[in-house]
Amino acid sequence: MKQAFANFQVRALAAALPAQRQELLALAPEFNMAPEELARILATTGIRTVRVAPPEVCASDLCAAAANQIFAATGLSGGDCDALVFVSQTGDYRLPATACLLQHRLGLGRDAATFDLNSGCTGFIHALFQAGLLLAAGAARRVLVCAGDTTTRLIHPQDKSVRLIFGDAGAAALVESAAADSAPAGFTLHADGAGAKQLIIPAGGCRQPATAATAQATPDDSGNLRSPQHLFMDGMEIMNFTLREVPPLVGEALAQAGWSAAETELFLLHQANKFILDCLRKKMRLPPEKVPVLMGETGNTGPASIPLALCQLQPPPGQRRKVLLCGFGVGLTWGAATLDLGASQILPPIDLP
Amino acid sequence: MDETFRAHLAELLELDKGRLSPETTLAELEGWDSMARVLFVAMADREYGRRVAGKEVTAARTVADLQRLVQG
């Protein structure tokens, strides 16, 4: 799907992280690895530390903190937002939707439209797109997007393939009607459920309900332990998928926006890990300064990764007039947005106390 | 065996090239872990323009099997 929105402006962006850090090198004894062996892996992934939300903190709490930071910075409040879109795979409850909880908590009116989107690493693109649709229809003048995950809760602690990758974070974006002469926002979205099993939690939904049996962890061929109720990621196939689909997606998004790669100032890719971003950057022949790699101290934070990276990067306003955001992952889904963030307030990330 | 392939594989595994011959079994290479497999898939794309399925990599038993995946 391709769509350009003339009436789309990101007013502000913020991100919140749980304060607790897990230094990944410290996990060597837990994984029965020599520190040098683990250090070699960390050098490839580029992830040294992740943040871990304590049990009482959910993705919604992280997103609420980010949203409140936006309200403080803009002088706006929840009551000024016509809709709330919450994108996550770690909502507070199976039901009700977390967007409803956030509507109440952040003081949106009772005539607000609220949606949960179940999406991971493409989630921020999906949520911005939903906000764009609401604005384009004239249904909303201002939409609060909340994007976050506590993925550390979904992984088995003895599964190196994901324990060394994922971290927790929440982000928020305030999207509103733009001035008439603003640059349009372009969106390109793709999905292919053929790859569903490559990034999946097999049990705990309706297809395979949770039972005592599905709670049993078993080792895979690499010695990683997980149960059907834990997140599984097929590293090789996700690598193949990413290398196959992301470069054409970026080309598609640039063509839709009428931008050359040279005039595009920033290619903000989902911060999966350093290795894949370096592979993508080289494949697309982009210079390093245009493809930030920022997940070193926060890990792969799913739908929060793109807004978190912007908040960490703090690009000067004059250098973010042509920004391409690109998400890819669970679904499988992949999508891109081309935005003018020149007038956006990009706030530095905060720690949740 | 193809020297370029041997060099790529040795670099990926952080091993001396001399350790790798076509009959070398992957199971005996200490660097051949799940991360190495992902690196191999990326290397196949980058150096050979080849899409190698995860299943094919998992089925490979020897260095020669891996070479066939990119040069077969």
Side-chain angles (χ1 to χ4, degrees):
Chain A
M1 173 166 292
K2 287 190 194 15
Q3 184 66 39
F5 298 117
N7 183 29
F8 186 104
Q9 161 88 327
V10 177
R11 172 83 176 264
L13 275 173
L17 297 158
Q20 186 188 320
R21 288 160 167 77
Q22 172 67 63
E23 301 293 337
L24 297 180
L25 200 53
L27 295 175
E30 212 170 312
F31 289 137
N32 267 323
M33 294 176 85
E36 309 81 62
E37 208 187 331
L38 182 50
R40 176 186 147 240
I41 294 179
L42 303 189
T44 302
T45 63
I47 300 166
R48 292 167 294 277
T49 313
V50 299
R51 302 295 186 99
V52 182
E56 64 275 12
V57 172
C58 289
S60 63
D61 298 311
L62 299 167
C63 291
N68 282 323
Q69 209 202 352
I70 287 179
F71 295 147
T74 58
L76 294 167
S77 70
D80 296 310
C81 300
D82 306 310
L84 193 153
V85 178
F86 175 73
V87 61
S88 178
Q89 300 163 121
T90 47
D92 283 36
Y93 304 104
R94 295 282 304 268
L95 62 138
T98 307
C100 299
L101 304 171
L102 285 169
Q103 175 271 343
H104 178 63
R105 181 172 176 177
L106 295 174
L108 275 78
R110 296 197 316 162
D111 50 2
T114 57
F115 306 98
D116 273 14
L117 294 182
N118 183 345
S119 186
C121 305
T122 316
F124 190 61
I125 310 296
H126 287 142
L128 288 183
F129 178 70
Q130 179 65 70
L133 292 171
L134 290 163
L135 292 167
R141 281 163 313 117
R142 200 172 278 121
V143 180
L144 181 65
V145 165
C146 292
D149 257 334
T150 48
T151 310
T152 59
R153 298 239 231 289
L154 304 179
I155 67 187
H156 193 289
Q158 285 286 305
D159 185 351
K160 290 193 297 292
S161 72
V162 288
R163 181 103 189 265
L164 300 176
I165 299 292
F166 290 98
D168 300 337
L174 193 57
V175 184
E176 55 186 30
S177 292
D181 57 352
S182 310
F187 286 85
T188 311
L189 302 179
H190 293 275
D192 188 354
K197 298 217 157 100
Q198 294 167 12
L199 251 177
I200 187 169
I201 296 178
C206 295
R207 184 62 73 191
Q208 188 185 8
T211 62
T214 64
Q216 298 305 308
T218 53
D220 67 10
D221 299 332
S222 306
N224 291 312
L225 220 54
R226 74 181 72 85
S227 78
Q229 286 169 207
H230 290 105
L231 179 67
F232 166 70
M233 181 168 66
D234 185 333
M236 284 188 280
E237 289 307 336
I238 294 298
M239 173 65 67
N240 271 328
F241 154 69
T242 306
L243 293 173
R244 184 180 64 241
E245 301 298 352
V246 172
L249 168 65
V250 168
E252 208 183 336
L254 290 177
Q256 185 197 7
W259 296 352
S260 67
E263 72 189 285
T264 305
E265 292 164 297
L266 213 49
F267 294 81
L268 215 308
L269 307 180
H270 161 60
Q271 302 284 299
N273 62 73
K274 175 179 188 307
F275 180 71
I276 188 58
L277 291 196
D278 284 347
C279 286
L280 287 170
R281 182 182 65 70
K282 288 172 191 161
K283 200 169 163 100
M284 296 190 285
R285 301 186 201 288
L286 297 170
E289 59 275 11
K290 288 194 178 183
V291 188
V293 177
L294 296 168
M295 80 298 286
E297 307 302 319
T298 43
N300 177 340
T301 56
S305 97
I306 291 169
L308 173 61
L310 283 166
C311 292
Q312 288 170 318
L313 186 63
Q314 294 284 300
Q319 291 170 32
R320 39 176 157 103
R321 306 303 309 277
K322 291 189 168 148
V323 177
L324 191 151
L325 310 181
C326 180
F328 44 91
V330 61
L332 301 172
T333 58
W334 58 111
T338 46
L339 301 174
D340 177 355
L341 296 177
S344 311
Q345 257 188 294
I346 302 185
L347 302 166
I350 56 171
D351 279 8
L352 211 63
Chain B
M1 70 181 294
D2 183 280
E3 274 313 306
T4 314
F5 177 80
R6 198 211 307 239
H8 286 316
L9 188 59
E11 185 187 356
L12 190 159
L13 294 169
E14 293 184 5
L15 289 176
D16 185 87
K17 279 192 306 186
R19 297 281 313 279
L20 303 175
S21 72
E23 315 78 50
T24 309
T25 54
L26 301 172
E28 72 188 65
L29 294 172
E30 58 272 16
W32 185 247
D33 55 13
S34 52
M35 162 141 296
R37 292 187 185 90
V38 175
L39 296 180
F40 181 82
V41 152
M43 187 271 281
D45 176 79
R46 183 178 61 244
E47 304 294 344
Y48 297 94
R50 284 284 196 107
R51 186 96 338 97
V52 179
K55 282 203 279 275
E56 295 177 290
V57 177
T58 306
R61 293 273 154 263
T62 64
V63 167
D65 289 343
L66 288 182
Q67 183 173 341
R68 252 189 298 280
L69 291 178
V70 297
Q71 288 181 320

